[in-house]
């Protein structure tokens, strides 16, 4: 008897083709054009002429802005990963203990994630400058003020979102397992470090990746909060690329080269994170 073909498999190409064409037209083609333009000097795509690796050399050698932005972004991302995930996990532990008003507090902590980055940047600019004005300075007075201002903003925005993921992981831990550990005399600290944290490691991996990617690609909050001041010392990678591309005549090729380097860094981070996640899943 002839096997009937699955209707989904039969019409799959018809449904996929429009999306695939749109993806190629609006992502793949511009992406490949962008890589090509990084090797040219141009003001528009019609007047580009080949310059080889000069744009990449200028990106890493001229006034060290890009190198400084890379270092600043890396340090900021490292601090943000630690602070966001520690506070988010602590809140998740607190809000899974059955206290009154748990759902209300979850909603309140999650709400900052719904506010746009530009709005958050201006709000925290006003708040932080309001505090610093008592000391006769503002957030652009020193790079350390801008750095910690960005850390505070990022924590305020991301903690609630990561908290929800941690709560989902904690609620999947069997209650029987926790009760058995408690009956056997395990202390709260032992239950936390020997049972809860190991069993929510998938949530930890997800939250670390999301924090890392959001922190490394930050642009609008950086633009609104500090604008890179003072003297570009708080400029992160995305803002440095923007300033290079749109702020300097004839530097569009250098800005495009920086964008390609930025993409490679983000892609490597995602690849390493994916490999680490797959390794943990295999070990489990």
């Amino acid at each position: 008897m002839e096997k009937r073909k699955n209707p989904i498999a039969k019409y799959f190409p018809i449904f996929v083709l429009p999306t695939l064409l749109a993806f190629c037209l609006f992502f793949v083609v511009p992406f490949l054009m962008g890589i090509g333009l990084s090797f040219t000097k141009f003001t528009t795509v019609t007047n580009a002429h080949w310059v080889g690796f000069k744009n990449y050399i200028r990106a890493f050698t001229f006034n060290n802005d890009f190198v400084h932005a890379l270092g600043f972004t890396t340090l900021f991302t490292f601090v943000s990963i630690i602070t966001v995930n520690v506070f988010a996990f602590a809140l998740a532990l607190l809000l899974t203990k059955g206290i009154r008003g748990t759902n209300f507090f979850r909603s309140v902590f999650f709400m900052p994630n719904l506010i746009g980055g530009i709005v958050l940047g201006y709000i925290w600019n006003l708040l932080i400058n309001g505090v610093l004005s008592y000391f006769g300075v503002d957030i652009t007075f020193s790079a350390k003020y801008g750095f910690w201002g960005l850390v505070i903003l990022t924590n305020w925005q991301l903690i609630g979102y990561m908290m929800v993921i941690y709560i989902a992981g904690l609620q999947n831990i069997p209650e029987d397992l926790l009760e058995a550990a408690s009956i056997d005399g395990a202390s709260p600290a032992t239950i936390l470090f020997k049972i809860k944290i190991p069993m929510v490691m998938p949530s930890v991996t997800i939250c670390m990746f999301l924090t890392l990617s959001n922190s490394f690609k930050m642009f609008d909050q950086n633009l609104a909060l500090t604008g890179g001041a003072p003297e570009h010392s708080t400029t992160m990678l995305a803002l440095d690329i923007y300033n290079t591309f749109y702020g300097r005549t004839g530097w569009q090729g250098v800005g495009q080269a920086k964008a390609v380097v930025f993409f490679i860094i983000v892609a490597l981070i995602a690849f390493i994170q994916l490999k680490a996640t797959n390794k943990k899943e295999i070990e489990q």
Side-chain angles (χ1 to χ4, degrees):
M1 185 176 178
E2 186 180 354
K3 188 176 180 180
R4 294 183 63 183
K5 191 173 182 180
N6 190 334
I8 296 178
K10 181 179 179 181
Y11 295 104
F12 180 77
I14 298 175
F15 290 105
V16 169
L17 185 60
T19 303
L20 183 62
L21 288 175
F23 177 77
C24 293
L25 183 62
F26 297 108
F27 178 80
V28 176
V29 172
F31 175 74
L32 295 176
M33 288 179 62
I35 293 177
L37 288 172
S38 69
F39 296 97
T40 67
K41 183 176 182 180
F42 70 96
T43 52
T44 64
V45 294
T46 58
N47 65 354
H49 60 274
W50 185 265
V51 295
F53 287 94
K54 288 184 179 179
N55 290 330
Y56 290 90
I57 295 172
R58 293 176 76 182
F60 283 98
T61 57
F62 184 81
N63 69 23
N64 288 325
D65 278 354
F66 188 63
V67 176
H68 179 272
L70 177 60
F72 183 86
T73 304
T74 302
L75 178 61
F76 165 78
T77 301
F78 176 76
V79 174
S80 295
I81 288 174
I82 296 174
T83 54
V84 168
N85 286 280
V86 168
F87 287 126
F89 187 71
L91 281 175
L93 285 173
L94 183 63
L95 295 178
T96 50
K97 293 187 179 295
I99 61 176
R100 289 186 61 183
T102 294
N103 291 333
F104 170 76
F105 288 116
R106 290 179 185 179
S107 300
V108 169
F109 287 124
F110 184 79
M111 283 178 64
N113 187 71
L114 304 177
I115 304 174
I118 289 288
V119 176
L120 277 180
Y122 285 127
I123 290 173
W124 278 100
N125 182 281
L126 292 172
L127 292 174
I128 294 172
N129 283 337
V131 174
L132 292 177
S133 64
Y134 287 100
F135 304 96
V137 296
D138 63 11
I139 197 170
T140 62
F141 179 78
S142 172
K144 64 181 179 181
Y145 296 153
F147 177 85
W148 290 110
L150 286 166
V151 170
I152 292 170
L153 185 156
T154 301
N155 275 259
W156 195 75
Q157 183 180 26
L158 295 182
I159 282 175
Y161 186 79
M162 305 306 163
M163 176 198 71
V164 172
I165 299 175
Y166 282 126
I167 287 175
L170 289 169
Q171 289 178 335
N172 283 329
I173 300 175
E175 287 292 335
D176 295 343
L177 178 62
L178 298 176
E179 290 177 4
S182 180
I183 293 171
D184 288 341
S187 66
T190 301
I191 293 175
L192 174 63
F193 289 103
K194 298 295 184 179
I195 298 177
K196 289 185 177 180
I197 292 180
M199 294 197 71
V200 299
M201 282 310 295
S203 298
V204 173
T205 302
I206 293 170
C207 289
M208 288 187 65
F209 174 73
L210 290 175
T211 308
L212 188 152
S213 59
N214 278 282
S215 299
F216 213 85
K217 296 184 294 183
M218 181 178 289
F219 168 72
D220 43 359
Q221 297 94 326
N222 187 202
L223 177 64
L225 186 65
T226 68
E231 298 178 353
H232 306 290
S233 59
T234 60
T235 301
M236 299 177 69
L237 279 175
L239 182 57
D240 178 72
I241 294 169
Y242 174 85
N243 289 336
T244 303
F245 198 95
Y246 293 103
R248 295 175 179 172
T249 303
W251 280 69
Q252 285 79 6
V254 180
Q256 193 64 44
K258 290 182 178 182
V260 172
V261 174
F262 182 54
F263 169 80
I264 293 172
I265 293 172
V266 173
L268 284 174
I269 291 171
F271 177 77
I272 293 170
Q273 189 75 23
L274 181 62
K275 291 284 288 185
T277 302
N278 291 337
K279 184 178 179 181
K280 288 180 181 178
E281 290 178 352
I282 292 172
E283 290 175 352
Q284 292 175 355

